[in-house]
Amino acid sequence: MNELPGLDLAALREHLDAQLPGLARGPLSAEIVQGGRSNLTYLVTDGTDRWVVRRPPLGHVLATAHDMSREHRVMSALAGTAVPVPETLLLCEDDDVIGAPFYVMRYVPGTVYRKPELTEQLTVAQRGDLSMQLVDVLADLHSIDPGTVGLGDFGRPEGFLERQVRRWSKQLAASHSRDIEGIEELRDRLAASVPATSRAAIVHGDYRLDNVIVGDDLRITAVLDWEMATLGDPFTDLGLLAVYWEGFGGIPTNPIAKGVGPEYDFPTARELLDRYAERSGADLSELDWYVGFGFFKIAVILEGIHYRYTRKQTVGEGFDHVGGLVAPLVAQGLAALKEV
């Protein structure tokens, strides 16, 4: 068995044999398919079948931000709905098995379109079709009654938007190390103009093209990365999707949402929003606020990364460019709020 940081394969095999006898039939091997400050993802195989194991990042301290039971619960609840998710097999909340809580799900084959080298392989028609699928799946998610799938107590929809603004304002304060033109104005304008939530829904929290798996038939086969899922205002997903889709266009050294948007011959964000309105019947007249909030949220996240980079608390390359992205995002956030 090969050994990887954060995953004791012998301990995993022993636990699988005890909880799911016969699942693994040969020696286990594994590779990391996603690492960093988000949850760690491993592809595990016995030589015949493949599974995915998810656990919190090494040395994490904010357990609530990396709640394995939360991800496992929402994907288990959505099984059999119109929202495609991997099949969950096992949740282990005992830190003593591999050193942290983890869960196991079936491997879903396909492509994650997270860079231009992949999306450029699609025809323009395929890019358009995939974009509309992405919106349709989001509309399907938001149409699910949380109570009918056992998620009626998955979050606190009341006051959701106010809490979100406060949360990211606190994150900004915790990462303050320089003056960023307009960021306090954006924060204050968002706080002063919070819209009334029309309805509560299951919110993904980080919905974008590179968080779904696309099969060989170019159909979306699974939605991934549910670590920020909750019950709240569904338009936060929609506003953030618009930011990921077009908000980084023309910004050099963009580390996020590469290969999508009109500059790569995908539909515009406006076309995505129109599709959502058509599919859901939702009134999007107040969506500017949600787009502005999406810009604020991403700006705060990137400022936090920049803050850690300046203190030599990041590992890897590319972080030197992150700080330069914050001000352009803030400016776009303020522009989005022009009608609010």
Side-chain angles (χ1 to χ4, degrees), residues 205-265:
D206 197 29
Y207 193 76
R208 59 187 199 237
L209 183 60
D210 61 346
N211 273 340
V212 304
I213 296 175
V214 180
D216 290 341
D217 60 355
L218 296 183
R219 307 301 298 174
I220 293 175
T221 54
V223 180
L224 307 174
D225 291 348
W226 293 89
E227 60 193 273
M228 299 180 74
T230 189
L231 297 188
D233 191 319
F235 290 171
T236 55
D237 274 343
L238 199 58
L240 191 59
L241 176 60
V243 171
Y244 282 135
W245 201 258
E246 249 177 74
F248 289 86
I251 298 179
T253 64
N254 161 28
I256 300 175
K258 295 181 177 180
V260 299
E263 65 179 306
Y264 294 100
D265 291 324

Side-chain angles (χ1 to χ4, degrees), residues 292-313:
F293 175 70
F295 276 115
F296 178 66
K297 177 179 174 179
I298 299 302
V300 171
I301 290 172
L302 296 184
E303 183 63 14
I305 294 172
H306 171 73
Y307 179 85
R308 292 190 294 274
Y309 168 75
T310 61
R311 282 154 180 75
K312 304 186 186 305
Q313 295 172 350

Side-chain angles (χ1 to χ4, degrees), residues 101-136:
F102 68 94
Y103 67 86
V104 181
M105 58 186 174
R106 290 203 186 277
Y107 169 74
V108 178
T111 301
V112 177
Y113 287 93
R114 57 167 46 106
K115 52 187 177 181
E117 291 81 2
L118 293 173
T119 59
E120 68 185 10
Q121 298 173 18
L122 302 171
T123 67
V124 173
Q126 288 170 336
R127 295 174 210 196
D129 180 70
L130 186 55
S131 303
M132 296 305 117
Q133 282 189 63
L134 188 70
V135 174
D136 289 349

Side-chain angles (χ1 to χ4, degrees), residues 152-232:
D153 61 346
F154 194 57
R156 294 182 296 131
E158 301 80 9
F160 173 75
L161 294 179
E162 289 84 356
R163 289 196 307 276
Q164 284 287 297
V165 174
R166 287 198 300 270
R167 172 188 176 184
W168 293 103
S169 296
K170 289 179 181 177
Q171 289 285 98
L172 175 63
S175 302
H176 181 74
S177 63
R178 58 180 182 155
D179 291 330
I180 303 165
E181 183 177 357
I183 199 164
E184 287 86 4
E185 180 188 353
L186 179 57
R187 175 199 64 200
D188 294 344
R189 289 180 62 185
L190 288 167
S193 57
V194 176
T197 297
S198 59
R199 64 182 181 89
I202 303 167
V203 173
H204 181 277
D206 197 29
Y207 193 76
R208 59 187 199 237
L209 183 60
D210 61 346
N211 273 340
V212 304
I213 296 175
V214 180
D216 290 341
D217 60 355
L218 296 183
R219 307 301 298 174
I220 293 175
T221 54
V223 180
L224 307 174
D225 291 348
W226 293 89
E227 60 193 273
M228 299 180 74
T230 189
L231 297 188

